Amino acid sequence: MRKINYTLIALIFVILVSSVEVVLKNYENTLLQELKLSEESQLSSRALALKSAVDRNFNLMASLEAYVTSGYLEGKNDREVMDYMESLYNGVQSSAFNLLIVPKGIVKYVYPLQGNESIVNWDLLNDPRANLQEQIQRGLQTKKMTVDGPFKLLQGNNGLVARKPIYQNGNFWGFVSVGLDKDKLLLESGVAGKDNRALQVAIRNPGEPAFYGDDQIFQMKPMYATIEFYGKIWELAALPQSSSIQSVKEQIQLIRCAYILVLLLGHIFYIYIVRQRNQLSRIVQERTQELLEANEDLTAVNEELKAGEHELQQYTRRLQESEQMLSYMAYHDMLTGIYNRAHFQTLLKEQIERHRDRSSTLAVLFFDMDNFKMVNDSHGHHMGDMLLQEVVNRIRQAELSYQTFARFGGDEFAMLLTDCSYEQDIQSLCERLLDLFKVPCTIANRSFFVSISIGIAQYPQSGTTWDMLLKNADIAMYIAKKESGSSYTFFTLQMETSSLTKLEMGNHLRQAMDRNELEIVYQPQVDCMQGKIIGVEALLRWKHTTKGYISPAVFIPLAEEMGLIVPIGEWILRRACSQMKAWHHMLEQPLAISVNLSVRQLHDERFVDKVCHILEETGLEAKYLEMEITENVAMKDEQLDALRHLRHMGIAISVDDFGTHYSSLSYLKRFPVTKIKLDQSFVRGVQSDDKDRAMIKAIISVANSFQLEIIAEGVETEEQASFLVENGCRQIQGYYFFRPMSAEQVMVVLKQSLRPKLVFMEVAAAGEEE
């Protein structure tokens, strides 16, 4: 009986130990699998971050290449080139070690110079390093960007170098190069410098020793990841820290010790119960019940482990779904569901490569919606998004013969056409596109009339690279929009020349104030009846450093278009008010000053506050300031409130070029106008054109009827002045009296007598007496 009992006890012990060991083994495998998944995810994340950092830094190469190939180096001195490289280097805030421009293989431009002095004037084509010569020869053969490294640079540090040969007109010009500091790159990407207690990482070029981390990691069955950039492959290997595995084993060992201890204690009690069966039967039953409950607990633990395994499987499935979604988002526009800019550029590059040796052509259509901003501003961005979706749906349902259709952002779209050798086919497709929107779009029970402007760039006539085609199509679209809208335009070389000239002048204009190239001149205004100067008009002039004085008719519209007119207008107003306040201290009778006002300034919600601040700052009283607006601006209702505030402050409001745009007598009643400025186009015809004389008399009559002051500009002869005064226009501005002049010259003419110029009034008075 005792033997049977001991056998039964041993059997129970073996069964319990085996069961618990199976559970522990499953639990240990689960923990190790979670650790492996976590480490694989970390390695993948670090590989992706490292590739992203390399790509982001090497994007500087595109800017350097564009700067050289677009001809910006021509006519530039070394300082200007270094300034551009400095702005490019500082603007990115990357781990780039240096930027190089290497004409004819000789390092000429280096930024930053500090730390790179040793490579200035270095002849790369005769560099003794074999790896560098191999990279140069590979680049010259492929005519593409090549990457080498990391290796020991001449400057002493380890770096990764991207280099691209430049060809102009088919001839080798030189190189552009971007060098990356290996240590900074690894810090920037997060591979180095982080808390790496959970993972040991090593990186190497295939077949070479590791340049980061322990090379022995590659020999120890690690996890692998690879990254590829510009033909360069890096291998990443990782092992979990021994402490992580040890922690799992310690946890399992602790549980094993605990359950063995429990089993030993249980069996001790069981032996004790068997020996004391007769006396302790009740205790035996209680202990047996306890063992059953313990077994239920172990079963519950096992169920929990299974549930954890199921949850881990669900998590893995969600990760896979997330990867698929990220892949979709990388190449699709999430609002409209069509392709995005990245996909379009990739496909365009591929198509260009396929068509290089063919006679067929490609065409890029770049278009956007005319006045789409008005929809967002007036109805909200949600309505604008629905309108964009409706536009895309119409184009997709039209079944047009395009290769791909993509949204670039906002209301900008691009369409790629292949095998389109005839312009008539492209024109036909553009006509169909324009016809799609002759019927208004109905969104939320509202009708929107949509029109688009299309720019067309053909390969290879309009460019041989994807970026040139997109840029030139954008230029053509801008021309189409500027000319009429709801039309299409093919790119021509004249457009590119005009665009570059405009861009160059715009860039100079942005720096004009900092370079003190802008100046203000003043043209006096004369009251012929009083025989004296009653005010001056402040006029802006631009003296370009190389081109001399540029006509306001050229640069003022450019400033309007670029949005520079707002800060320039504020600068003029402050300078003019300050100058007039200085004159007031020197004059017995104060003068008024007239300053031109831009429509963009009136659109500024803080414009009235800015005017108040300038008047307070300069100390000029508002009654001595006159704001001069062109007629077509004054006739728009949205500026009415701003003009009323200015008039309420005491500032005079005059209408320039009256009678030359969209005149309406009712506007003179609604708007707070105090003065009409007679345009010089009427004044010139006083001596020869009866209609001009009649128009002048009519405008003077209108001014008198509305009790407004009137002043004539552009008066150049005595006959013009005599006719104007004789018909009731007593205020004169023009070359007959004074040309625009500096502030110092104004003080001189204020002391001069105007009588010699006013002789015609004495003659007229004598004629009336006779």
Side-chain angles (χ1 to χ4, degrees):
M1 189 67 177
R2 179 179 298 179
K3 185 176 181 180
I4 294 175
N5 289 335
Y6 284 139
T7 302
L8 182 61
I9 292 172
L11 181 62
I12 293 173
F13 184 86
V14 170
I15 292 173
L16 289 176
V17 170
S18 301
S19 300
V20 176
E21 281 298 321
V22 170
V23 172
L24 282 179
K25 189 64 177 178
N26 290 337
Y27 181 60
E28 182 179 8
N29 291 337
T30 300
L31 291 179
L32 292 174
Q33 184 65 20
E34 288 180 353
L35 179 61
K36 181 179 180 181
L37 289 175
S38 175
E39 291 163 350
E40 289 176 347
S41 176
Q42 290 184 46
L43 180 60
S44 176
S45 175
R46 294 183 185 181
L48 182 61
L50 181 57
K51 184 179 187 306
S52 176
V54 173
D55 290 341
R56 183 170 61 254
N57 282 284
F58 282 160
N59 282 341
L60 291 170
M61 182 70 74
S63 299
L64 282 177
E65 179 185 1
Y67 185 76
V68 173
T69 59
S70 61
Y72 285 154
L73 276 175
E74 297 178 7
K76 298 290 189 301
N77 57 41
D78 291 352
R79 182 68 266 165
E80 290 176 317
V81 176
M82 291 299 289
D83 287 344
Y84 170 79
M85 295 175 70
E86 179 182 4
S87 66
L88 185 62
Y89 183 91
N90 294 332
V92 175
Q93 292 296 324
S94 64
S95 49
F97 178 65
N98 59 28
L99 307 178
L100 306 181
I101 298 179
V102 190
K104 298 181 180 180
I106 306 299
V107 178
K108 183 175 181 181
Y109 301 106
V110 183
Y111 189 86
L113 184 59
Q114 184 176 0
N116 294 288
E117 295 86 353
S118 60
I119 65 172
V120 176
N121 296 324
W122 186 262
D123 187 352
L124 293 181
L125 296 178
N126 294 310
D127 192 293
R129 291 171 291 179
N131 65 314
L132 187 141
Q133 288 301 317
E134 189 275 334
Q135 181 190 11
I136 289 176
Q137 293 304 317
R138 189 169 69 252
L140 292 175
Q141 291 173 2
T142 63
K143 298 185 180 180
K144 295 182 179 179
M145 185 176 79
T146 58
V147 179
D148 192 22
F151 62 89
K152 195 76 170 181
L153 302 178
L154 293 176
Q155 297 88 327
N157 58 328
N158 286 320
L160 181 67
V161 177
R163 185 172 288 108
K164 184 171 185 180
I166 303 298
Y167 288 84
Q168 293 186 350
N169 299 322
N171 296 319
F172 174 68
W173 180 90
F175 299 98
V176 290
S177 176
V178 176
L180 306 183
D181 187 282
K182 182 201 75 177
D183 296 334
K184 289 184 178 179
L185 177 64
L186 295 178
L187 284 173
E188 179 185 351
S189 63
V191 173
K194 279 193 172 184
D195 185 2
N196 290 321
R197 290 178 296 174
L199 206 62
Q200 304 177 66
V201 180
I203 308 174
R204 71 180 182 184
N205 289 310
E208 297 179 6
F211 60 82
Y212 173 76
D214 189 357
D215 189 64
Q216 292 298 319
I217 293 177
F218 286 94
Q219 316 302 324
M220 301 170 68
K221 297 183 179 180
M223 296 171 288
Y224 273 96
T226 61
I227 59 174
E228 182 175 358
F229 48 90
Y230 307 104
K232 189 72 176 178
I233 297 177
W234 281 357
E235 295 179 344
L236 283 77
L239 289 174
Q241 294 285 0
S242 57
S243 59
S244 299
I245 300 177
Q246 185 64 30
S247 175
V248 173
K249 293 187 178 296
E250 289 175 356
Q251 183 179 355
I252 298 300
Q253 190 64 31
L254 180 62
I255 296 174
R256 179 176 286 109
C257 292
Y259 88 77
I260 290 176
L261 179 60
V262 171
L263 288 177
L264 288 174
L265 290 175
H267 281 77
I268 290 173
F269 277 112
Y270 183 76
I271 293 173
Y272 177 77
I273 291 170
V274 171
R275 290 180 178 180
Q276 303 295 329
R277 180 185 305 171
N278 296 330
Q279 300 176 5
L280 303 175
S281 59
R282 182 178 57 82
I283 297 175
V284 169
Q285 293 175 356
E286 292 176 353
R287 297 301 182 188
T288 302
Q289 185 63 33
E290 290 176 1
L291 289 174
L292 291 174
E293 292 175 355
N295 188 53
E296 290 177 356
D297 291 339
L298 290 174
T299 303
V301 170
N302 187 45
E303 292 297 328
E304 290 179 358
L305 291 175
K306 291 181 179 179
E309 181 179 2
H310 177 71
E311 183 178 352
L312 182 60
Q313 293 173 351
Q314 293 292 329
Y315 177 72
T316 303
R317 180 180 59 79
R318 288 195 295 270
L319 280 178
Q320 294 173 346
E321 292 175 352
S322 298
E323 290 178 359
Q324 295 174 355
M325 177 59 69
L326 288 174
S327 177
Y328 178 84
M329 291 172 62
Y331 292 103
H332 288 80
D333 175 54
M334 301 310 295
L335 175 64
T336 60
I338 63 176
Y339 289 117
N340 61 10
R341 178 196 295 265
H343 175 82
F344 189 90
Q345 291 177 350
T346 300
L347 183 60
L348 180 57
K349 294 175 187 177
E350 294 174 355
Q351 290 295 328
I352 289 174
E353 290 298 325
R354 292 178 183 176
H355 286 70
R356 287 195 187 278
D357 299 327
R358 301 182 186 176
S359 58
S360 58
T361 63
L362 302 173
V364 173
L365 275 59
F366 198 83
F367 60 92
D368 70 2
M369 300 163 58
D370 300 326
N371 301 317
F372 176 72
K373 185 176 183 297
M374 295 176 60
V375 177
N376 278 337
D377 292 344
S378 57
H379 298 283
H381 289 275
H382 177 66
M383 189 69 72
D385 289 346
M386 289 194 292
L387 181 59
L388 289 172
Q389 291 170 340
E390 174 63 20
V391 167
V392 170
N393 289 336
R394 285 198 181 185
I395 295 175
R396 296 175 75 174
Q397 293 172 5
E399 298 182 355
L400 301 175
S401 57
Y402 54 76
Q403 173 72 16
T404 190
F405 173 42
R407 179 182 177 216
F408 271 41
D411 63 326
E412 292 183 340
F413 297 90
M415 192 174 286
L416 176 61
L417 311 182
T418 57
D419 298 326
C420 48
S421 302
Y422 300 101
E423 287 191 2
Q424 294 86 342
D425 296 336
I426 302 175
Q427 292 172 349
S428 176
L429 186 141
C430 290
E431 293 289 349
R432 290 187 62 189
L433 265 178
L434 297 177
D435 290 342
L436 289 177
F437 303 103
K438 289 184 176 180
V439 178
C441 298
T442 302
I443 308 294
N445 296 323
R446 296 179 182 176
S447 294
F448 295 91
F449 288 90
V450 176
S451 64
I452 62 175
S453 298
I454 309 172
I456 307 165
Q458 295 176 274
Y459 172 87
Q461 302 96 309
S462 302
T464 56
T465 62
W466 66 270
D467 51 343
M468 287 178 63
L469 287 173
L470 287 175
K471 180 194 72 172
N472 293 337
D474 192 11
I475 292 173
M477 182 197 72
Y478 174 79
I479 298 299
K481 183 180 294 291
K482 186 176 181 182
E483 290 179 351
S484 62
S486 188
S487 62
Y488 58 88
T489 300
F490 285 86
F491 173 80
T492 63
L493 293 178
Q494 291 79 2
M495 292 180 185
E496 182 178 27
T497 303
S498 175
S499 178
L500 290 174
T501 302
K502 188 175 182 180
L503 176 63
E504 181 182 3
M505 182 172 288
N507 290 335
H508 280 290
L509 185 56
R510 289 183 185 277
Q511 304 170 358
M513 281 196 294
D514 295 334
R515 294 177 175 177
N516 294 322
E517 295 180 4
L518 297 182
E519 57 187 47
I520 301 177
V521 294
Y522 305 89
Q523 188 171 31
Q525 299 170 333
V526 176
D527 188 317
C528 296
M529 301 302 292
Q530 297 182 36
K532 64 178 182 179
I533 297 173
I534 58 171
V536 296
E537 180 181 2
L539 301 171
L540 180 64
R541 295 292 183 268
W542 180 16
K543 187 177 182 181
H544 195 281
T545 52
T546 59
K547 299 180 180 180
Y549 281 102
I550 298 176
S551 171
V554 174
F555 74 83
I556 291 296
L558 181 60
E560 290 270 6
E561 181 180 338
M562 298 178 65
L564 297 175
I565 198 65
V566 174
I568 291 176
E570 187 175 342
W571 176 82
I572 296 171
L573 182 60
R574 179 175 283 103
R575 291 284 297 268
C577 290
S578 178
Q579 181 61 64
M580 183 52 71
K581 183 62 179 178
W583 282 336
H584 283 183
H585 288 303
M586 296 181 284
L587 299 174
E588 296 180 0
Q589 184 175 356
L591 300 176
I593 189 162
S594 175
V595 179
N596 288 283
L597 184 60
S598 165
V599 63
R600 283 186 176 267
Q601 290 176 276
L602 283 175
H603 285 156
D604 185 357
E605 295 179 354
R606 298 182 58 249
F607 176 66
V608 176
D609 294 334
K610 291 178 180 179
V611 174
C612 293
H613 177 72
I614 289 174
L615 290 176
E616 291 177 2
E617 178 185 315
T618 60
L620 182 67
E621 296 181 56
K623 64 182 180 180
Y624 296 114
L625 176 61
E626 178 181 295
M627 292 289 192
E628 191 172 305
I629 54 180
T630 56
E631 182 186 1
N632 59 332
V633 173
M635 296 306 111
K636 292 184 179 179
D637 290 340
E638 56 264 30
Q639 284 83 44
L640 183 58
D641 289 339
L643 293 177
R644 284 175 175 167
H645 279 96
L646 295 175
R647 187 70 194 102
H648 182 73
M649 292 165 54
I651 298 173
I653 306 295
S654 67
V655 180
D656 192 13
D657 302 337
F658 185 79
T660 61
H661 292 89
Y662 313 107
S663 302
S664 173
L665 297 181
S666 63
Y667 289 169
L668 294 180
K669 179 180 178 181
R670 293 171 55 220
F671 281 69
V673 178
T674 59
K675 182 187 289 187
I676 292 176
K677 199 163 190 181
L678 191 61
D679 187 64
Q680 59 182 346
S681 62
F682 298 125
V683 175
R684 293 194 189 100
V686 163
Q687 298 166 258
S688 59
D689 195 323
D690 292 337
K691 291 182 179 180
D692 282 342
R693 288 194 290 269
M695 182 66 75
I696 290 173
K697 292 178 181 180
I699 295 175
I700 293 173
S701 176
V702 168
N704 293 333
S705 299
F706 282 90
Q707 297 181 347
L708 301 175
E709 295 184 30
I710 185 167
I711 183 172
E713 65 176 348
V715 179
E716 299 180 350
T717 66
E718 182 178 325
E719 290 80 2
Q720 293 171 352
S722 176
F723 176 83
L724 290 166
V725 175
E726 181 181 344
N727 286 277
C729 180
R730 55 191 289 178
Q731 296 184 16
I732 301 294
Q733 178 181 340
Y735 285 4
Y736 176 67
F737 284 105
F738 302 105
R739 291 176 175 269
M741 58 188 67
S742 66
E744 293 77 10
Q745 292 171 323
V746 171
M747 290 303 299
V748 174
V749 301
L750 286 174
K751 300 175 183 179
Q752 296 176 356
S753 172
L754 298 179
R755 185 168 183 177
K757 291 286 187 177
L758 297 173
V759 173
F760 68 87
M761 295 189 63
E762 298 177 1
V763 174
E768 291 178 0
E769 291 177 359
E770 293 178 1

